[in-house]
Amino acid sequence: MIVRRVRFLVWFMMAGAGVAWAGQLPDFARIVRENRAAVVNISSTEVMKAAIPGLGVPGHFVNPFFHGPPRGNGSAPRRFAMKSLGSGVIIGANGYILTCAHVINHAKQVIVKLANHRDYVARVIGLDTKSDVALLKIPATHLATVRIGHPSRLQVGDWVLAIGAPFGFENSATAGIVSAVGRNLPGSDYVPFIQTDVPINPGNSGGPLFNTRGQVVGINSQIYSRTGGFMGLSFAIPINLAIRISHDLKVSGHVPWSWLGVTIQNVTRKLAVSFDLRKPYGALISEVLPGSPAARSRLQAGDIIVRYDGHPITRASDLPPLVGFTPAGTPAYLKIIRNGHPETLSVVVGALPEALPAAYTRPPRKPHDNTSLGLALRDLTGHERRALGVTQGVFVEGVSHGPGAKAGIVPGDVILSLVGRPTASVPAFMAILAHVLPQHPVPVLIHRDGRSMFLALSK
């Protein structure tokens, strides 16, 4: 009898705990009920000459909006009409709608369908491919709108909810949690994405991401997929960034991005040790582009930017949005760490040019073996230096097992400096290496695919 009572008490306590936990879940039904009228379905038609790649490509970032892409049969390219589906969110009662640029880019006609099933032909106010934000306008008034939240208050683990039209199924709601914040993706340097595990599929692009207060905190933009469908990795544009960009689009039809002209990377734990930092933080400059605003300042490769105009830089992705919205011609004050010592300097930011230097290829030459690091090195020719746009360096012809491979050096890299000292030739590299202490990571600057980056090398 006593055993039965104990078991019943344990079951009752567990059940009670379960009820209490369930009571803490967000009221998703309320969020959908209060906001579904402000979410729209967007369809557009674009005349194409060939099938669009992306969906179904293994391990690629995908803009999930294409519906039923044509299958190629190996014949010559032909013209066809590609219909795309997407979502949007009403931010102005007078007809202004936010969506993703890739949903309506190159579209011949954009149709917006409201939750009450009324259709409108939308006018494209402007779009910005760098941020993937677009602003539309429909001839309607007294529309339902959403409340804007604060993405900066999001924490990993927070509940979030998306409303959109996956595969054309309008006003579908999906939920999940925030997986990461400030995520930097290839080709989207100016956007610190919100990563979630909210199920996002073709047709969700441009739709809103809500917090538990029913406020929009992001615009769903991309997924990472090996199949073209949802695999647990979704990315949203922070709403404060999207709203700011929409203002520029409304005023001038474009976004006047600014730049410094530097290539940056995160400071890893090993790189922090190699640069004598107490912890990994900041944006490490691996390259200063010729003719850029940074080249006209005192910035140099190896500097670690830890503060920009009073804003702390914790990771590399923190810097581009701050620089991007700084008006061109304005001086910005940077706190950097150089050779282990803090310094403050100013840089006059410039307008981002339309085209940046392209990557170069490297012709193979006879290598010089360096078995102690597992690297096959050789000197660069004058022609190669001009083609690569570098003044010095040694070419990595081959990599075998050893410290070089562990550091991440690959064949085709050009080693520009070691411990901050230029490597003009293989003998110069070997002379510097001779003074490197065993087992202590040191920074090595390499040039790869037209860009430079630091690695931590242990002898």
Side-chain angles (χ1 to χ4, degrees), residues 21 34 38 65 128 132 147-148 174 249 252 257 279 316 318 357:
W21 176 81
E34 294 177 353
F65 77 106
D128 179 67
D132 197 25
R147 293 179 295 136
I148 305 301
T174 53
L249 295 175
S252 61
W257 293 107
K279 61 179 182 179
D318 295 336

Side-chain angles (χ1 to χ4, degrees), residues 210-251:
F210 294 93
N211 61 16
T212 54
R213 297 182 178 181
Q215 301 168 327
V216 175
V217 290
I219 301 296
N220 295 308
S221 172
Q222 298 187 48
I223 61 175
Y224 184 86
S225 177
R226 296 182 182 274
T227 64
F230 174 71
M231 293 187 69
L233 295 168
S234 306
F235 301 90
I237 304 163
I239 190 62
N240 57 337
L241 183 67
I243 292 292
R244 187 166 182 176
I245 290 170
S246 71
H247 179 266
D248 287 334
L249 295 175
K250 185 186 296 186
V251 171

Side-chain angles (χ1 to χ4, degrees), residues 89-111:
V89 58
I90 302 173
I91 59 171
N94 57 346
Y96 283 100
I97 297 170
L98 267 182
T99 187
C100 285
H102 71 260
V103 172
I104 54 91
N105 197 14
H106 304 303
K108 298 298 181 182
Q109 188 180 54
V110 179
I111 304 296

Side-chain angles (χ1 to χ4, degrees), residues 4-343:
R4 287 184 179 179
R5 288 179 179 177
V6 170
R7 287 178 177 174
F8 176 80
L9 180 61
V10 171
W11 176 85
F12 180 81
M13 292 176 64
M14 292 178 64
V19 171
W21 176 81
Q24 296 174 1
L25 289 174
D27 188 353
F28 290 130
R30 176 188 60 81
I31 297 173
V32 174
R33 187 171 59 251
E34 294 177 353
N35 293 281
R36 66 188 310 168
V39 181
V40 303
N41 183 23
I42 298 174
S43 60
S44 61
T45 302
E46 176 184 356
V47 177
M48 305 296 298
K49 293 184 178 180
I52 293 185
L55 290 179
V57 178
H60 275 67
F61 287 95
V62 178
N63 296 322
F65 77 106
F66 287 115
H67 182 67
R71 297 179 179 178
N73 57 6
S75 60
R78 58 186 178 86
R79 295 174 66 86
F80 57 87
M82 167 70 77
K83 187 175 182 180
S84 62
L85 299 175
S87 303
V89 58
I90 302 173
I91 59 171
N94 57 346
Y96 283 100
I97 297 170
L98 267 182
T99 187
C100 285
H102 71 260
V103 172
I104 54 91
N105 197 14
H106 304 303
K108 298 298 181 182
Q109 188 180 54
V110 179
I111 304 296
V112 170
K113 185 177 181 180
L114 304 184
N116 60 9
H117 303 295
R118 295 191 64 179
D119 293 349
Y120 295 89
V121 177
R123 178 164 58 97
V124 179
I125 301 300
L127 59 88
D128 179 67
T129 57
K130 289 183 176 62
S131 61
D132 197 25
V133 172
L135 182 66
L136 306 178
K137 177 73 166 63
I138 60 174
T141 57
H142 306 293
L143 299 175
T145 60
V146 292
R147 293 179 295 136
I148 305 301
H150 301 277
S152 60
R153 297 178 183 175
L154 285 177
Q155 299 182 66
V156 174
D158 283 349
W159 283 101
V160 281
L161 177 140
I163 303 178
F167 299 105
F169 293 103
E170 303 165 12
N171 275 285
S172 296
T174 53
I177 64 169
V178 175
S179 304
V181 294
R183 186 72 79 191
N184 185 249
L185 301 182
S188 304
D189 293 336
Y190 287 100
V191 181
F193 284 94
I194 303 165
Q195 180 185 332
T196 76
D197 69 349
V198 176
I200 298 296
N201 285 292
N204 273 113
S205 274
L209 183 73
F210 294 93
N211 61 16
T212 54
R213 297 182 178 181
Q215 301 168 327
V216 175
V217 290
I219 301 296
N220 295 308
S221 172
Q222 298 187 48
I223 61 175
Y224 184 86
S225 177
R226 296 182 182 274
T227 64
F230 174 71
M231 293 187 69
L233 295 168
S234 306
F235 301 90
I237 304 163
I239 190 62
N240 57 337
L241 183 67
I243 292 292
R244 187 166 182 176
I245 290 170
S246 71
H247 179 266
D248 287 334
L249 295 175
K250 185 186 296 186
V251 171
S252 61
H254 73 282
V255 181
W257 293 107
S258 297
W259 77 320
L260 288 178
V262 295
T263 300
I264 57 176
Q265 63 184 96
N266 282 320
V267 179
T268 63
R269 181 180 59 82
K270 286 187 176 181
L271 281 173
V273 173
S274 70
F275 280 99
D276 295 325
L277 298 179
R278 289 179 297 175
K279 61 179 182 179
Y281 72 112
L284 172 60
I285 298 178
S286 55
E287 183 179 13
V288 175
L289 299 181
S292 67
R296 294 188 288 271
S297 72
R298 293 197 300 113
L299 283 174
Q300 62 188 38
D303 289 344
I304 301 174
I305 301 174
V306 296
R307 191 170 288 271
Y308 179 90
D309 268 352
H311 299 276
I313 306 299
T314 304
R315 49 187 176 264
S317 60
D318 295 336
L319 184 62
L322 295 173
V323 176
F325 284 117
T326 303
T330 302
Y333 295 90
L334 281 64
K335 181 180 179 181
I336 66 170
I337 304 296
R338 177 180 293 174
N339 298 325
H341 302 288
E343 292 188 26

